[in-house]
Amino acid sequence: MKIGVFVCHCGSNIAGTVDVAGVAQAAKNFPEVAFATDLLYSCSEPGQEAIVQAVQEHDLDGVVVAACTPRMHEPTFRRAVERAGLNRYMFEMANIREHCSWVGKDKDANTRKASDLVLQAVEKLRFDRPLQAKSFDINKRVLVVGGGVAGIQAALDCADGGLEVVLLEKTSTIGGKMAKLDKTFPTVDCSSCILGPKMVDVSMHPNITLYAYAELESVEGYVGNFEVSVKKKATYVDWDKCTGCGLCMEKCPSKKAYDAFNEGIAPTRAINIPFPQAIPKRAVIDPTYCRQFIKGKCGVCAKVCPTEAIDYEMQDSFVQEKVGAVITATGYDLFDYRKYGEYGGGRYPDVITSMQYERLLNASGPTGGHIQRPSDGREPKKVVFIQCVGSRDKSVDRPYCSGFCCMYTAKQTILTKDHIPDSQSYVFYMDIRAPGKMYDEFTRRAMEEYGAQYIRGRVSQVYPYKDSLIVRGVDTLLGSQVEIEADLVVLAVGAEASRGASELAEKLRISYDAYGFYMESHPKLRPVETNTAGVYLAGACQGSKDIPASVGQGSAAAAKVLALFSKDQLESDPQVALVSQARCVGCGKCVQTCPFGAIQLAEDRAGNPKAEVIETVCQGCGLCTVTCPQSAIQLQHFTDNQILAEVNALCQQAMEESFES
Amino acid sequence: MSAGNGRELRIVGFLCNWCSYGGADTAGVSRLGQPTDLRIIRLPCTGRMDPLFMFKALLSGADGVLVSGCHPRDCHYSEGNFYARRRLELAKRLLPTLGFDSGRFEYTWVSASEGKRWQQVVTAFTEQIHTLGPGPKFSH
Amino acid sequence: MSPELSYAYYPGCSGLSTSKDYEISTRAVCRALGIKLQEIPDWSCCGSTPAHTVDHVFSAALSARNLSLAEQMGSDTVITPCPSCLTNLKVAAHRMEQEPAFQQEVNRHLQEPCVNTVQVKSVLQALIQDLGPEAIAKQVEKPLSGLKIAPYYGCIMNRPPEVMDFDDPENPVAMDEILRGLGAEVLPYPLKVECCGASYGVARKDVVMQLSGKLLDLADSLGADAIATACPLCQMNLDLRQDQINAALKRSFRLPVFYYTQLMGLAFGLEEKDLLLNKLNVPAGPALAKMQQAAEAAAEQDAQTKEQ
């Protein structure tokens, strides 16, 4: 075997703390290495060409590139190796950047380490075998989880592209957070006027199946062939019969139900349709408030319903769907404003969240768009906005910037002035973050045209005094304390991962960060992909985002799915398990262990039971390889001999025995 | 930044591709300094981690072995790390029988976003191995 | 009576002088509740504010000495009524636990090294967590019905939370619960943990006039009959300087400022020698008389309804 080794400088990223030329020199003495050199940027076009040329000139059988993490450029170099005429699996990478040059300060130690890692890769490569991918059929349907604006956009784009879409929404209507907003920045256009038509499009689109009031129960399978189970939660109303007339809601005697859509600022009925433009416009009973459920008698809604749609006996039901790709668009939740005791949220009725204020501003909200204090219904004249409530604060474990609060606060000061011309708004801020088209101009308008007073500093305390709230804070620009007697205090609560995000991630087998936001495959270059093939991200589930960014990402995720489905077949990863018929004793342990059902027992010509791997189903985890008492089933490209060769390379001793034959 | 008195010991790490290998990458991208003793072998999943690899490494002269995978319930392959946990816990208890201090082997869970945690795990484990000193060497 | 509670007890310097009433009433109340207080023999000053503004090691050594003495007593918990002493003891213990090198340095100053095994609590924390509000309420003989109280904790009893580790640092409720158990009406007092001006009373009296003035103003606006406090310095600023504040702000507050232990003693029916109410600058008489009237009126009403 003739192996070529290419050690990358990565500019100064590696060469700064590793003697790159020295590593290449050392590699010349490694077993079966026929060629070794260093390259300035191996992933660049000239770098890749140098590899291709060397393969052809020196007639190499395999290539080792010592550079960055294989999670970044392994596919790049595999393609280069293939261009040179080799099988793409006759290639190994040594990670001498993320695992070496970037984490060690001592150049000598780093160089020794890099050299070890190259030897490790060479030893593994000696056991590499050419592998061929298999093709398999795919199901060109897509599941979109979450019916906020990102999910709506993704669903519509996929459906317009000709795909069948299954859209899942956990509440009884699509629309998400955007449906609650009054106006949107920086244009101050009506939120429901721009979202409403899109929601209607979803309901009318022949390619979209909408499951509202439903959740993802389980996911099986893999890219191209997922099988999902959808839980349709009991609504206690037969939606096939319900016409959304709202008569039940009018007559319902239980008038103290929590209104999630209105953020709890006013109660709703135990049976309700969240808002007039809801899609689907169907009623749902909340059994925690319904008298029929609590006291066992009432039945008013069942009596008044003209279509006899009420069904108190309804149970959760499950639907199975087959799809080829999944887009998660589960959005975000708001920070719990009660965590800041000093602001008194939850204790003082006139300290409210920005989303509650949005509902007060909204003409279809519980106050008909008239701003009223929750405590006494009085119109506030002095409104204080406190920004960064649950953003950029390590003490509440929210060190990140939520990104959109500066903008919506500016919007709310403008709307306050529009609603109450003789009002005055004050905004306590840390910094104004307004990077975006027309964004900074917008915050300037709030200050200059609408007279909002911006005070740079934090608030130390809010407390009631007689009929108003005293807001005490600091003006760091003036270097003085500030006290404002306010009628209403609005907390600009930040975004956090939606509740249940981690459970969904576990079902989809995707990663999430310390705060529960889903991890993209690469922060710059693969922002809507996950590390699980066929699962994509859209909107704030990946990190806090405003509406334009969410819509953009919804479309981006849809484009990824359309590209994936542009072929009729996908190539399977050939790094799968392979059974040695000679060694297999047909015990069936691998069959029991495989999480994917990718192994079955078949009979050989003599009628003996033998394990058989379904290559397009195998996901390449290697569980079976460790389970097999005979070492008969080996995960290709990660065989026992390969890993032991790496161990031996690192332990500098010759391998003396082999677990395989 | 080497733990101990400047002399490196040989530590072999087995990391799953999806979580801990990514976590180590994240630590690198964030330039979170670590001791240089560790060498990492990439596995698809800790479910691929045959305890024999660990024994083999220690018998071949490694001073410490570290395995790290996805947090329980977060496995990319659903349940690989549950198998790993059972196998490795058992293997760890066998070590004293073979003449190794059981502190020479640890397994842990680090997600792809936990660069900081990876730095702490590597630093702490390297210190632990340096406290134990070079491992017993067997002649062949 | 609940199982025997016993603590090493650290009275603090002010307990022997300016806040003698706090100290005496604390001991009396604990006696009534069956809590055993073992005074740390030969205890020394915690260093108060001056020590740690000069030298952290020295300040910690003063507290570590007292902790070491408590260890030698064989006690596992030391309690003190004074939040300032509490802060010093807790900060010293906390930092010694976090930084072994610091502990070594501190111990170089001590004859007997501090192992740092003793837990430090306020008397308030011991009362609410170890004894519980129900046991306290059981002891009440003369409920404080009709007395409207603004509970004021002071700024350091609960902060910084990672060191003090007790109650909600922004909205503590321990004293509220006790006072409610005594039958008093506890007002929602939002400035519970605001600064009274503390020792600025010496250097910048104007600061205390403003800060303590605000506390009195809010209590007054809520219709309080009295303020309850847990800190000697707060009590001094609010009570002893109330006339100065009135003069400075052109107001006429007449709010008695009790230690919460004095109110407990009152409700338990203890005698004046155990309460030292006569040490208060703003006399307690009118507030207590009002309470008495309210009680009598209620009793009369009660009797009338029964007759009917």
Side-chain angles (χ1 to χ4, degrees):
Chain A
M1 194 174 197
K2 288 165 89 177
I3 294 172
V5 174
F6 302 86
V7 187
C8 185
H9 289 242
C10 195
S12 64
N13 281 311
I14 296 170
T17 53
V18 172
D19 175 6
V20 178
V23 173
Q25 192 59 39
K28 287 184 176 155
N29 297 321
F30 293 161
E32 303 191 82
V33 171
F35 178 80
T37 187
D38 52 306
L39 294 172
L40 193 54
Y41 284 105
S42 49
C43 60
S44 68
E45 204 268 327
Q48 293 189 40
E49 266 331 289
I51 295 172
V52 172
Q53 251 178 22
V55 170
Q56 288 160 349
E57 262 173 43
H58 300 274
D59 201 16
L60 301 175
D61 303 311
V63 168
V64 168
V65 173
C68 52
T69 171
R71 284 163 55 99
M72 176 91 181
H73 273 317
E74 195 174 55
T76 314
F77 292 119
R78 280 194 171 148
R79 282 194 297 272
V81 168
E82 207 163 45
R83 275 208 307 282
L86 296 181
N87 181 277
R88 57 164 61 193
Y89 292 94
M90 297 306 287
F91 168 76
E92 291 297 332
M93 259 186 112
N95 182 348
I96 62 168
R97 193 177 74 173
E98 281 83 349
H99 291 188
C100 183
S101 74
W102 275 351
V103 293
K105 301 276 178 294
D106 180 340
K107 191 162 184 173
D108 288 340
N110 280 353
T111 304
R112 277 199 305 279
K113 182 170 179 176
S115 181
D116 280 353
L117 296 176
V118 171
L119 175 64
Q120 178 194 345
V122 167
E123 290 291 359
K124 183 176 180 226
L125 178 61
R126 293 173 71 196
F127 289 87
D128 275 349
R129 298 289 172 264
L131 302 175
Q132 307 298 339
K134 285 243 164 42
S135 296
F136 62 93
D137 292 334
I138 56 174
N139 183 332
K140 294 188 183 181
R141 301 176 84 225
V142 55
L143 170 73
V144 178
V145 187
V149 70
I152 288 174
Q153 186 66 40
L156 286 174
D157 285 356
C158 287
D160 287 345
L163 302 181
E164 272 186 49
V165 179
V166 177
L167 176 60
L168 224 61
E169 165 57 42
K170 84 176 162 191
T171 67
S172 69
T173 172
I174 59 171
K177 297 277 187 300
M178 188 178 170
K180 300 184 180 191
L181 304 181
D182 179 34
K183 302 278 184 349
T184 58
F185 60 79
T187 43
V188 201
D189 47 356
C190 156
S191 185
S192 65
C193 309
I194 52 177
L195 181 66
K198 276 188 182 291
M199 290 167 61
V200 174
D201 287 350
V202 167
S203 70
M204 306 299 278
H205 207 297
N207 285 355
I208 299 179
T209 308
L210 171 62
Y211 293 115
Y213 215 61
E215 285 176 19
L216 193 64
E217 178 71 10
S218 65
V219 183
E220 306 275 324
Y222 47 91
V223 58
N225 293 285
F226 291 105
E227 284 183 31
V228 300
S229 173
V230 174
K231 176 162 105 178
K232 291 169 75 179
K233 295 178 285 184
T235 56
Y236 308 105
V237 177
D238 184 342
W239 279 11
D240 291 335
K241 293 182 186 161
C242 176
T243 59
C245 70
L247 196 59
C248 52
M249 197 172 165
E250 231 170 80
K251 303 287 183 199
C252 174
S254 172
K255 300 173 183 173
K256 290 274 163 71
Y258 179 78
D259 188 350
F261 186 77
N262 280 318
E263 296 285 319
I265 47 169
T268 184
R269 307 295 171 97
I271 185 166
N272 73 82
I273 298 168
F275 59 106
Q277 297 83 16
I279 299 281
K281 196 176 177 186
R282 297 286 183 267
V284 174
I285 292 178
D286 182 346
T288 47
Y289 294 96
C290 173
R291 291 185 184 182
Q292 185 68 35
F293 285 87
I294 299 170
K295 295 180 179 158
K297 59 178 181 189
C298 175
V300 170
C301 50
K303 277 181 214 123
V304 300
C305 178
T307 60
E308 298 181 340
I310 309 295
D311 175 9
Y312 298 119
E313 307 298 318
M314 188 183 271
Q315 302 287 323
D316 294 348
S317 60
F318 296 87
V319 189
Q320 314 301 320
E321 290 281 358
K322 290 184 175 177
V323 296
V326 180
I327 296 173
T328 59
T330 46
Y332 66 100
D333 265 314
L334 296 167
F335 179 82
D336 180 1
Y337 69 142
R338 289 168 303 186
K339 283 188 186 154
Y340 286 93
E342 60 268 42
Y343 298 155
R347 271 191 290 153
Y348 312 134
D350 295 332
V351 178
I352 62 174
T353 69
S354 45
M355 192 58 103
Q356 290 176 323
Y357 194 55
E358 204 71 42
R359 296 309 299 155
L360 289 179
L361 291 166
N362 198 311
S364 61
T367 57
H370 300 292
I371 306 175
Q372 294 172 356
R373 307 206 312 172
S375 64
D376 55 7
R378 192 159 62 82
E379 188 178 73
K381 297 294 180 199
K382 278 190 188 175
V383 183
V384 170
F385 296 85
I386 303 175
Q387 292 206 186
C388 300
V389 178
S391 295
R392 302 177 65 194
D393 187 348
K394 275 188 190 170
S395 74
V396 292
D397 197 28
R398 295 286 174 265
Y400 55 83
C401 173
S402 294
F404 48 48
C405 320
C406 287
M407 294 306 299
Y408 73 60
T409 299
K411 175 195 74 181
Q412 291 182 337
T413 66
I414 289 175
L415 295 175
T416 306
K417 197 76 176 174
D418 278 345
H419 280 68
I420 312 168
D422 61 340
S423 68
Q424 175 66 51
S425 294
Y426 301 86
V427 180
F428 282 91
Y429 70 101
M430 289 207 249
D431 300 288
I432 296 173
R433 304 235 160 134
K437 207 168 173 181
M438 297 299 289
Y439 281 15
D440 204 60
E441 297 92 319
F442 184 72
T443 58
R444 301 303 318 176
R445 259 176 70 202
M447 293 176 227
E448 288 158 10
E449 286 176 36
Y450 289 84
Q453 272 218 41
Y454 272 65
I455 302 161
R456 187 180 189 278
R458 299 293 283 161
V459 168
S460 66
Q461 198 181 25
V462 177
Y463 67 92
Y465 182 78
K466 294 176 182 165
D467 199 19
S468 43
L469 293 159
I470 307 289
V471 181
R472 299 171 62 188
V474 60
D475 186 329
T476 57
L477 297 180
L478 287 177
S480 67
Q481 294 185 14
V482 189
E483 258 191 29
I484 297 168
E485 210 176 315
D487 299 315
L488 186 68
V489 174
V490 179
L491 305 178
V493 284
E496 54 186 30
S498 67
R499 305 192 217 313
S502 53
E503 287 82 354
L504 182 67
E506 283 159 19
K507 286 174 188 164
L508 291 166
R509 302 193 299 275
I510 59 176
S511 317
Y512 49 93
D513 68 15
Y515 309 104
F517 290 113
Y518 296 154
M519 278 189 61
E520 62 283 0
S521 188
H522 188 278
K524 283 120 194 154
L525 303 178
R526 289 162 65 83
V528 297
E529 291 96 323
T530 66
N531 276 329
T532 298
V535 180
Y536 302 90
L537 306 174
C541 62
Q542 178 260 346
S544 185
K545 262 177 212 68
D546 62 8
I547 293 167
S550 296
V551 171
Q553 225 186 11
S555 286
K560 286 286 166 192
V561 173
L562 287 162
L564 178 77
F565 288 171
S566 64
K567 301 181 212 100
D568 292 327
Q569 289 195 314
L570 288 180
E571 281 200 339
S572 68
D573 187 336
Q575 298 175 86
V576 294
L578 179 72
V579 180
S580 157
Q581 293 279 315
R583 302 189 67 144
C584 176
V585 295
C587 70
K589 281 191 173 157
C590 53
V591 180
Q592 290 167 8
T593 311
C594 179
F596 306 101
I599 310 176
Q600 58 195 23
L601 276 185
E603 285 183 2
D604 67 2
R605 270 179 291 178
N608 300 313
K610 298 285 176 189
E612 192 178 79
V613 175
I614 310 162
E615 284 178 45
T616 50
V617 179
C618 175
Q619 297 297 297
C621 66
L623 258 181
C624 53
T625 308
V626 188
T627 307
C628 178
Q630 294 293 102
S631 297
I633 188 164
Q634 288 288 326
L635 176 62
Q636 297 180 87
H637 215 65
F638 289 95
T639 63
D640 283 342
N641 277 349
Q642 288 190 295
I643 296 166
L644 288 169
E646 290 183 85
V647 169
N648 277 302
L650 293 178
C651 297
Q652 302 269 323
Q653 285 187 20
M655 184 165 74
E656 298 192 342
E657 60 198 44
S658 162
F659 291 100
E660 295 170 52
S661 57
Chain B
M1 187 182 162
S2 182
N5 50 12
R7 191 179 155 236
E8 262 185 26
L9 292 177
R10 178 46 43 100
I11 300 174
V12 180
F14 294 89
L15 272 61
C16 85
N17 177 56
W18 302 100
C19 292
S20 293
Y21 198 92
D25 285 351
T26 305
V29 171
S30 317
R31 311 295 198 276
L32 302 175
Q34 296 154 35
T36 49
D37 310 47
L38 174 75
R39 311 281 187 267
I40 292 169
I41 294 175
R42 182 163 70 130
L43 301 177
C45 175
T46 46
R48 176 68 190 89
M49 177 66 201
D50 194 322
L52 286 174
F53 299 155
M54 179 264 287
F55 292 126
K56 180 70 183 167
L58 290 175
L59 287 167
S60 305
D63 304 302
V65 173
L66 178 65
V67 174
S68 185
C70 306
H71 288 276
R73 297 175 60 83
D74 283 356
C75 178
H76 185 75
Y77 303 102
S78 310
E79 51 200 49
N81 54 3
F82 290 134
Y83 282 89
R85 187 165 62 180
R86 287 203 294 270
R87 288 167 180 162
L88 297 174
E89 183 56 38
L90 202 62
K92 189 172 162 68
R93 292 181 199 185
L94 275 173
L95 279 175
T97 325
L98 295 173
F100 292 101
D101 191 304
S102 62
R104 293 196 182 276
F105 167 64
E106 297 288 353
Y107 62 91
T108 184
W109 320 117
V110 175
S111 82
S113 64
E114 293 175 324
K116 189 89 195 153
R117 181 171 148 80
W118 177 249
Q119 178 193 36
Q120 288 160 356
V121 165
V122 174
T123 308
F125 186 68
T126 307
E127 274 169 20
Q128 181 173 323
I129 296 304
H130 276 265
T131 310
L132 290 170
K137 298 290 179 269
F138 298 86
S139 56
H140 288 266
Chain C
M1 195 122 305
S2 48
E4 170 94 335
L5 290 171
S6 171
Y7 301 96
Y9 179 64
Y10 181 78
C13 304
S14 56
L16 305 191
S17 51
T18 51
S19 65
K20 204 168 179 176
D21 34 357
Y22 192 14
E23 218 274 322
I24 299 281
S25 58
T26 298
R27 284 179 187 272
V29 162
C30 286
R31 201 159 46 239
L33 291 167
I35 298 172
K36 202 167 152 199
L37 301 180
Q38 296 171 282
E39 185 165 336
I40 298 174
D42 193 33
W43 58 268
S44 50
C45 171
C46 72
S48 190
T49 316
H52 67 81
T53 51
V54 177
D55 186 341
H56 286 191
V57 175
F58 168 60
S59 168
L62 287 170
S63 287
R65 178 175 179 276
N66 293 318
L67 293 174
S68 167
L69 290 170
E71 279 164 10
Q72 290 162 47
M73 289 165 68
S75 176
D76 58 0
T77 308
V78 56
I79 64 173
T80 177
C82 171
S84 178
C85 302
L86 179 74
T87 302
N88 277 319
L89 291 168
K90 279 214 169 232
V91 166
H94 183 77
R95 187 154 172 211
M96 285 194 289
E97 192 190 317
Q98 301 285 314
E99 302 171 37
F102 181 75
Q103 182 171 12
Q104 276 175 14
E105 209 180 334
V106 166
N107 275 336
R108 281 198 298 119
H109 297 264
L110 302 181
Q111 203 165 20
E112 281 296 323
C114 171
V115 195
N116 202 14
T117 53
V118 178
Q119 207 193 352
V120 183
K121 284 181 188 175
S122 63
V123 174
L124 180 63
Q125 185 175 3
L127 287 175
I128 200 81
Q129 286 182 346
D130 300 348
L131 190 67
E134 298 81 16
I136 296 170
K138 257 189 223 157
Q139 203 65 26
V140 173
E141 287 180 10
K142 299 178 181 166
L144 307 181
S145 324
L147 190 64
K148 290 186 195 164
I149 302 179
Y152 174 59
Y153 294 71
C155 56
I156 56 172
M157 177 73 100
N158 309 87
R159 300 193 289 192
E162 57 273 21
V163 177
M164 305 311 275
D165 192 26
F166 168 56
D167 216 342
D168 184 328
E170 297 295 340
N171 181 30
V173 293
M175 196 155 69
D176 297 34
E177 280 185 50
I178 291 180
L179 295 172
R180 218 171 281 128
L182 304 179
E185 182 183 339
V186 182
L187 299 167
Y189 186 63
L191 298 184
K192 278 175 177 179
V193 292
E194 281 302 294
C195 176
C196 67
S199 42
Y200 266 129
V202 180
R204 288 278 309 272
K205 210 168 73 181
D206 57 318
V207 171
V208 175
M209 301 296 105
Q210 289 303 323
L211 296 180
S212 285
K214 179 170 283 174
L215 295 171
L216 291 167
D217 176 43
L218 183 72
D220 190 55
S221 78
L222 291 169
D225 300 322
I227 294 176
T229 177
C231 170
L233 196 49
C234 300
Q235 200 276 346
M236 184 167 14
N237 280 336
L238 292 173
D239 179 47
L240 197 59
R241 293 188 188 278
Q242 204 169 104
D243 294 337
Q244 292 175 350
I245 292 167
N246 281 335
L249 304 182
K250 302 195 170 49
R251 301 291 297 265
S252 51
F253 301 121
R254 290 304 278 169
L255 278 167
V257 184
F258 295 99
Y259 291 106
Y260 75 98
T261 44
Q262 290 178 304
L263 291 170
M264 287 174 76
L266 260 177
F268 293 174
L270 303 184
E271 294 167 27
E272 167 64 18
K273 72 171 171 55
D274 287 330
L275 303 176
L276 299 190
L277 289 175
N278 62 2
K279 271 202 88 226
L280 299 182
N281 175 48
V282 178
L288 300 182
K290 195 188 151 222
M291 181 177 84
Q292 190 68 29
Q293 279 168 11
E296 279 165 13
E300 209 167 297
Q301 184 108 36
D302 224 28
Q304 277 178 4
T305 24
K306 265 185 198 155
E307 270 172 38
Q308 286 163 3

Short mmCIF file of all heavy atoms in Angstrom, two decimals, chain C residues 4 62 87 90 130 147 158 182 184 206 208 224 238-239 243-244 258 290 292 299:
data_model
loop_
_atom_site.label_atom_id
_atom_site.label_comp_id
_atom_site.label_asym_id
_atom_site.label_seq_id
_atom_site.Cartn_x
_atom_site.Cartn_y
_atom_site.Cartn_z
N GLU C 4 -35.57 19.19 71.57
CA GLU C 4 -34.60 20.16 72.07
C GLU C 4 -33.71 20.74 70.98
O GLU C 4 -33.00 20.01 70.28
CB GLU C 4 -33.74 19.47 73.13
CG GLU C 4 -32.54 20.25 73.60
CD GLU C 4 -32.85 21.06 74.86
OE1 GLU C 4 -34.03 21.39 75.11
OE2 GLU C 4 -31.91 21.36 75.58
N LEU C 62 -10.84 37.21 62.49
CA LEU C 62 -11.67 37.55 63.65
C LEU C 62 -12.88 36.62 63.72
O LEU C 62 -13.21 36.09 64.78
CB LEU C 62 -12.14 39.00 63.55
CG LEU C 62 -11.08 40.08 63.81
CD1 LEU C 62 -11.61 41.45 63.43
CD2 LEU C 62 -10.64 40.06 65.26
N THR C 87 -23.08 38.28 58.48
CA THR C 87 -22.38 38.44 57.21
C THR C 87 -20.90 38.13 57.36
O THR C 87 -20.32 37.40 56.56
CB THR C 87 -22.56 39.88 56.70
OG1 THR C 87 -23.95 40.13 56.57
CG2 THR C 87 -21.89 40.07 55.36
N LYS C 90 -20.35 34.41 57.91
CA LYS C 90 -20.67 33.63 56.71
C LYS C 90 -19.65 33.86 55.61
O LYS C 90 -19.23 32.92 54.92
CB LYS C 90 -22.07 33.99 56.21
CG LYS C 90 -23.17 33.28 56.96
CD LYS C 90 -24.33 32.98 56.02
CE LYS C 90 -25.33 32.05 56.62
NZ LYS C 90 -25.65 30.91 55.81
N ASP C 130 -35.72 25.68 61.69
CA ASP C 130 -35.52 24.56 62.61
C ASP C 130 -36.73 24.36 63.52
O ASP C 130 -37.12 23.24 63.82
CB ASP C 130 -34.27 24.78 63.46
CG ASP C 130 -33.02 24.90 62.58
OD1 ASP C 130 -33.12 24.58 61.38
OD2 ASP C 130 -31.96 25.31 63.10
N LEU C 147 -52.62 45.10 64.98
CA LEU C 147 -51.38 45.86 64.82
C LEU C 147 -50.87 45.69 63.39
O LEU C 147 -50.61 44.58 62.93
CB LEU C 147 -50.32 45.34 65.81
CG LEU C 147 -49.06 46.18 65.93
CD1 LEU C 147 -49.37 47.57 66.50
CD2 LEU C 147 -48.02 45.48 66.80
N ASN C 158 -30.12 38.84 53.63
CA ASN C 158 -30.28 37.81 52.61
C ASN C 158 -29.33 37.97 51.43
O ASN C 158 -29.46 37.27 50.44
CB ASN C 158 -31.72 37.83 52.07
CG ASN C 158 -32.73 37.80 53.17
OD1 ASN C 158 -33.10 38.84 53.69
ND2 ASN C 158 -33.13 36.62 53.56
N LEU C 182 -48.05 35.66 64.98
CA LEU C 182 -48.31 36.36 66.25
C LEU C 182 -49.66 37.05 66.24
O LEU C 182 -50.08 37.63 67.23
CB LEU C 182 -47.22 37.41 66.50
CG LEU C 182 -45.76 36.94 66.54
CD1 LEU C 182 -44.83 38.12 66.78
CD2 LEU C 182 -45.55 35.87 67.60
N ALA C 184 -50.44 39.54 64.09
CA ALA C 184 -50.36 40.90 63.57
C ALA C 184 -50.77 40.93 62.10
O ALA C 184 -50.77 39.90 61.42
CB ALA C 184 -48.93 41.42 63.70
N ASP C 206 -26.86 63.13 55.83
CA ASP C 206 -27.89 63.45 54.83
C ASP C 206 -28.33 62.20 54.06
O ASP C 206 -29.48 62.08 53.66
CB ASP C 206 -27.36 64.52 53.86
CG ASP C 206 -26.08 64.09 53.17
OD1 ASP C 206 -25.19 63.52 53.83
OD2 ASP C 206 -25.98 64.32 51.95
N VAL C 208 -28.48 59.13 55.21
CA VAL C 208 -29.40 58.37 56.05
C VAL C 208 -30.77 59.05 56.11
O VAL C 208 -31.80 58.38 56.07
CB VAL C 208 -28.83 58.19 57.48
CG1 VAL C 208 -29.84 57.50 58.39
CG2 VAL C 208 -27.55 57.38 57.41
N ALA C 224 -49.01 51.83 58.28
CA ALA C 224 -48.41 50.98 59.31
C ALA C 224 -48.51 51.64 60.68
O ALA C 224 -48.43 52.86 60.79
CB ALA C 224 -46.95 50.71 58.96
N LEU C 238 -33.65 54.09 62.01
CA LEU C 238 -35.08 54.37 61.85
C LEU C 238 -35.69 54.93 63.14
O LEU C 238 -36.60 55.75 63.10
CB LEU C 238 -35.83 53.10 61.45
CG LEU C 238 -35.52 52.58 60.05
CD1 LEU C 238 -36.18 51.22 59.84
CD2 LEU C 238 -36.00 53.56 59.00
N ASP C 239 -35.19 54.45 64.27
CA ASP C 239 -35.80 54.83 65.55
C ASP C 239 -35.09 56.03 66.17
O ASP C 239 -35.67 57.10 66.33
CB ASP C 239 -35.75 53.61 66.49
CG ASP C 239 -36.34 53.93 67.86
OD1 ASP C 239 -37.43 54.51 67.90
OD2 ASP C 239 -35.70 53.59 68.88
N ASP C 243 -36.35 61.54 64.78
CA ASP C 243 -36.55 62.98 65.00
C ASP C 243 -35.71 63.79 64.04
O ASP C 243 -36.16 64.79 63.47
CB ASP C 243 -36.21 63.33 66.45
CG ASP C 243 -37.18 62.68 67.43
OD1 ASP C 243 -38.31 62.35 66.98
OD2 ASP C 243 -36.81 62.48 68.59
N GLN C 244 -34.45 63.34 63.84
CA GLN C 244 -33.57 64.04 62.89
C GLN C 244 -34.18 63.99 61.48
O GLN C 244 -34.13 64.98 60.74
CB GLN C 244 -32.20 63.36 62.85
CG GLN C 244 -31.40 63.52 64.13
CD GLN C 244 -30.09 62.73 64.09
OE1 GLN C 244 -29.86 61.93 63.18
NE2 GLN C 244 -29.23 62.98 65.05
N PHE C 258 -39.75 48.24 66.22
CA PHE C 258 -39.49 47.12 67.11
C PHE C 258 -38.47 46.16 66.51
O PHE C 258 -38.38 46.03 65.29
CB PHE C 258 -40.77 46.29 67.34
CG PHE C 258 -41.87 47.01 68.06
CD1 PHE C 258 -42.93 47.59 67.36
CD2 PHE C 258 -41.87 47.08 69.44
CE1 PHE C 258 -43.96 48.22 68.01
CE2 PHE C 258 -42.91 47.72 70.11
CZ PHE C 258 -43.95 48.29 69.40
N LYS C 290 -53.47 51.30 70.61
CA LYS C 290 -54.38 51.15 69.48
C LYS C 290 -54.75 49.69 69.29
O LYS C 290 -55.90 49.34 69.03
CB LYS C 290 -53.71 51.70 68.22
CG LYS C 290 -54.66 51.92 67.09
CD LYS C 290 -53.97 52.27 65.81
CE LYS C 290 -54.81 51.80 64.64
NZ LYS C 290 -54.08 51.19 63.58
N GLN C 292 -54.67 47.48 71.62
CA GLN C 292 -55.53 47.12 72.75
C GLN C 292 -56.99 47.49 72.47
O GLN C 292 -57.89 46.68 72.65
CB GLN C 292 -55.01 47.85 74.00
CG GLN C 292 -55.65 47.39 75.30
CD GLN C 292 -55.24 45.96 75.64
OE1 GLN C 292 -54.15 45.55 75.26
NE2 GLN C 292 -56.11 45.22 76.29
N ALA C 299 -63.67 42.30 70.95
CA ALA C 299 -64.26 41.45 71.99
C ALA C 299 -65.70 41.87 72.26
O ALA C 299 -66.60 41.04 72.41
CB ALA C 299 -63.41 41.55 73.26
#
